[in-house]
Amino acid sequence: MKRVQFAATYPERLVHPLHREVIEPGPVTRAELLTWSPTADATTLFWCDAGADATASVVRAVDSLVDSELVEDGDGTYAFIRQDGYEFAPAVLDAIAAARVVFLPPVVFLEAGAVRFEAVGEAGALDAFHTALSDLGDVAIERVHEFERSASPSRLTDRQRAALEAAVETGYYEVPRDGTVADIAAILDCSTSTAGELVRKAEAAVIREFVAVGDRD
């Protein structure tokens, strides 16, 4: 089983309306679809890297919006969104529905226009999905590794885990150190201050869990 990170850039007609707001110049430069409901009312949880007012403006661009609730956190805003239907282009939804793979949150909408996400499946199924999606837009494979079913040893968020993976990839933990926080930020497509905060929080979570496990032994 493989775990593959894709980055897809679609033509304008296939771009999600919320993503269009992220692409437009403004305070929101990144939005993450963290989880979604299988129910008909299309309940989703988004996160945007901006304050509540800017996030509300992005959310209002979704025509199918029924209700929303915003909750600010330290580096952005969570948006609980209820819609009367998903607004992904039918061709994109068809490719997803036909795929013999599963998708891992988050789905990340980037200011540069790409949608980044991960899928898990057998190599043949992943190749077929990649081919189908490539018929709709430009699709890049950014990372491939074995899928592991074991849970994380620490309570990391997806963004914190991505920050640690980027830190290892850039040589940030090598001795002597090869990578920098700026290198991590480039991979995560965020500011250096945000990357530094994510790494610090992730390191703190890992260390706390390590100490807690030691106390239980």
Side-chain angles (χ1 to χ4, degrees):
M1 294 280 284
K2 298 292 184 181
R3 179 174 177 172
V4 179
Q5 180 172 293
F6 294 95
T9 303
Y10 302 113
E12 169 63 23
R13 62 185 176 82
L14 299 181
V15 175
H16 191 283
L18 188 146
H19 195 188
R20 291 193 185 100
E21 296 297 309
V22 175
I23 295 171
E24 289 293 321
V28 177
T29 63
R30 180 187 181 101
E32 300 180 2
L33 175 56
L34 301 176
T35 187
W36 50 89
S37 167
T39 58
D41 62 2
T43 300
T44 57
L45 174 60
F46 269 94
W47 178 90
C48 294
D49 65 344
D53 290 343
T55 300
S57 178
V58 168
V59 169
R60 284 195 296 268
V62 179
D63 291 337
S64 61
L65 181 67
V66 174
D67 192 18
S68 66
E69 180 180 352
L70 305 182
V71 180
E72 284 194 274
D73 73 350
D75 58 350
T77 302
Y78 292 100
F80 293 90
I81 303 175
R82 188 161 61 88
Q83 303 163 240
D84 57 18
Y86 291 110
E87 292 200 29
F88 287 97
V92 175
L93 286 177
D94 287 346
I96 292 171
R100 293 180 292 111
V101 301
V102 295
F103 301 94
L104 303 178
V107 177
V108 182
F109 300 95
L110 300 171
E111 181 184 29
V115 183
R116 180 178 291 148
F117 60 93
E118 288 189 306
V120 173
E122 295 182 354
L126 287 163
D127 286 343
F129 171 69
H130 177 247
T131 299
L133 206 61
S134 295
D135 290 338
L136 303 177
D138 296 326
V139 182
I141 295 177
E142 296 186 327
R143 187 178 302 170
V144 179
H145 48 88
E146 293 295 327
F147 176 71
E148 298 180 3
R149 67 177 181 85
S150 59
S152 169
S154 59
R155 296 179 180 178
L156 298 178
T157 67
D158 289 325
R159 299 187 78 225
Q160 289 168 356
R161 179 189 293 277
L164 287 187
E165 290 177 350
V168 172
E169 182 179 333
T170 61
Y172 184 77
Y173 292 116
E174 295 295 327
V175 180
R177 177 172 289 171
D178 291 333
T180 67
V181 173
D183 295 328
I184 299 170
I187 292 177
L188 299 179
D189 196 23
C190 66
S191 68
T192 54
S193 60
T194 297
E197 182 178 0
L198 287 169
V199 169
R200 288 192 298 273
K201 287 182 177 179
E203 290 172 341
V206 170
I207 291 170
R208 282 195 297 267
E209 181 68 16
F210 177 81
V211 172
V213 171
D215 289 340
R216 291 194 293 267
D217 291 342

